[in-house]
């Protein structure tokens, strides 16, 4: 089955610890994205990558870091510099087609709680 | 002002009702528009793309007005299973998507 997997589904960390969220896709999509969602709000873009070894900051990149060493993988690290990291984190991917980006598919998300 | 603005609702309607959601966007670089559906504590899923000519998928009709920077979604004959949060999305040609905060719909028996 093709799709996007995120792990773990729930994650608890102590304040001051860095934590890395996993995102893997086997859709052969070029572009991958990380979003954050807080209760009652829409998704806000953290980072995105259109090609291996390249990525761009989204609207709320401070306190986060990413890497894109492989096309299939786009891990997100929530650092201790992120002031309010408790949130629902969603990874997405898209094929970059000649006519423009294709449909954006989402993983099931990771709920991070910082205690 | 947010780039994509939606009426948060909540919209509480009886089964069989027709309900309309509105959305406005301010980023002229947004070229493609979509409605996503998000169930509680789940990831968003694409409901439909939105075109200037209007498009219909069963009970759902979406419309885009580029001049007014306005997007709409109409749901006819509401079902209990339509209860969810509906997210309006604008996307640039580079693939950067901006989401509205969502409109919550509850369909009651």
């Amino acid at each position: 089955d093709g799709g996007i997997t995120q792990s773990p589904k729930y994650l608890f960390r102590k304040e001051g610890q860095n934590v890395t969220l996993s995102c893997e896709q086997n859709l052969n999509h070029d572009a991958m994205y990380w979003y954050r969602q807080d209760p009652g709000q829409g998704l806000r873009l953290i980072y995105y990558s259109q090609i291996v070894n390249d990525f761009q900051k989204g609207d709320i990149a401070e306190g986060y870091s990413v890497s894109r060493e492989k096309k299939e993988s786009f891990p997100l690290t929530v650092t201790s510099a992120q002031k309010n990291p408790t949130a629902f984190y969603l990874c997405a991917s898209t094929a970059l087609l000649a006519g423009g980006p294709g449909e954006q598919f989402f993983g099931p998300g990771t709920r991070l709680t910082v205690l | 002002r947010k780039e994509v603005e939606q009426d948060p609702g909540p919209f509480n309607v009886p089964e069989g009702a027709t309900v309309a959601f509105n959305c406005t966007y301010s980023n002229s670089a947004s070229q493609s528009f979509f409605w996503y559906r998000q169930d509680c504590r789940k990831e968003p899923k694409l409901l439909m793309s939105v075109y200037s000519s209007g498009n219909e998928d069963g009970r759902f009709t979406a419309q885009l007005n580029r001049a007014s920077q306005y997007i709409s979604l109409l749901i006819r004959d509401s079902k209990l299973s339509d209860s969810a949060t509906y997210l309006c999305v604008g996307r640039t040609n580079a693939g950067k998507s901006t989401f509205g905060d969502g409109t919550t719909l509850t369909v009651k028996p």
Side-chain angles (χ1 to χ4, degrees):
Chain A
D1 272 277
I4 304 175
T5 56
Q6 290 186 244
S7 61
K9 189 172 182 180
Y10 298 96
L11 188 57
F12 297 88
R13 278 294 181 268
K14 291 183 178 178
E15 197 172 338
Q17 289 182 333
N18 290 359
V19 60
T20 297
L21 311 184
S22 166
C23 177
E24 304 278 332
Q25 54 99 359
N26 61 4
L27 300 166
N28 198 33
H29 284 173
D30 307 287
M32 297 186 74
Y33 309 80
W34 273 106
Y35 295 91
R36 168 188 174 134
Q37 187 175 35
D38 292 283
Q41 296 189 30
L43 281 64
R44 291 183 290 166
L45 183 64
I46 305 172
Y47 268 99
Y48 63 107
S49 167
Q50 296 182 294
I51 194 169
V52 174
N53 291 323
D54 188 43
F55 46 82
Q56 287 77 42
K57 292 182 179 180
D59 301 316
I60 54 163
E62 186 175 348
Y64 299 98
S65 65
V66 292
S67 63
R68 186 89 186 274
E69 296 176 3
K70 297 186 300 182
K71 188 175 184 179
E72 303 79 21
S73 180
F74 192 41
L76 173 75
T77 297
V78 184
T79 75
S80 56
Q82 168 50 233
K83 296 285 187 273
N84 186 18
T86 295
F88 186 37
Y89 290 87
L90 288 154
C91 179
S93 70
T94 301
L96 295 179
L97 309 171
E103 179 181 342
Q104 194 166 62
F105 291 86
F106 284 86
T110 293
R111 290 198 179 272
L112 173 64
T113 301
V114 175
L115 307 170
Chain B
R1 185 188 171 195
K2 293 187 177 182
E3 279 191 28
V4 177
E5 298 218 46
Q6 296 182 245
D7 180 347
F11 284 68
N12 297 307
V13 303
E15 265 188 296
T18 295
V19 60
F21 302 144
N22 302 319
C23 171
T24 58
Y25 66 94
S26 59
N27 184 0
S28 56
S30 292
Q31 295 296 310
S32 307
F33 300 90
F34 308 87
W35 284 101
Y36 276 75
R37 171 194 170 124
Q38 186 174 24
D39 292 293
C40 188
R41 303 179 73 81
K42 298 283 191 181
E43 74 273 24
K45 294 192 176 174
L46 180 66
L47 179 65
M48 59 198 305
S49 303
V50 189
Y51 305 113
S52 297
S53 54
N55 50 305
E56 188 173 312
D57 183 2
R59 297 180 294 106
F60 299 84
T61 301
Q63 187 77 50
L64 164 65
N65 184 323
R66 289 190 187 272
S68 302
Q69 296 187 298
Y70 172 89
I71 302 152
S72 65
L73 176 67
L74 184 75
I75 305 175
R76 290 181 299 278
D77 188 22
S78 300
K79 311 290 184 193
L80 296 177
S81 57
D82 293 335
S83 297
T85 297
Y86 292 84
L87 301 166
C88 175
V89 184
R91 192 168 69 184
T92 68
N93 282 340
K96 184 181 174 189
S97 295
T98 303
F99 286 74
D101 285 345
T103 298
T104 299
L105 171 67
T106 302
V107 181
K108 298 186 174 178

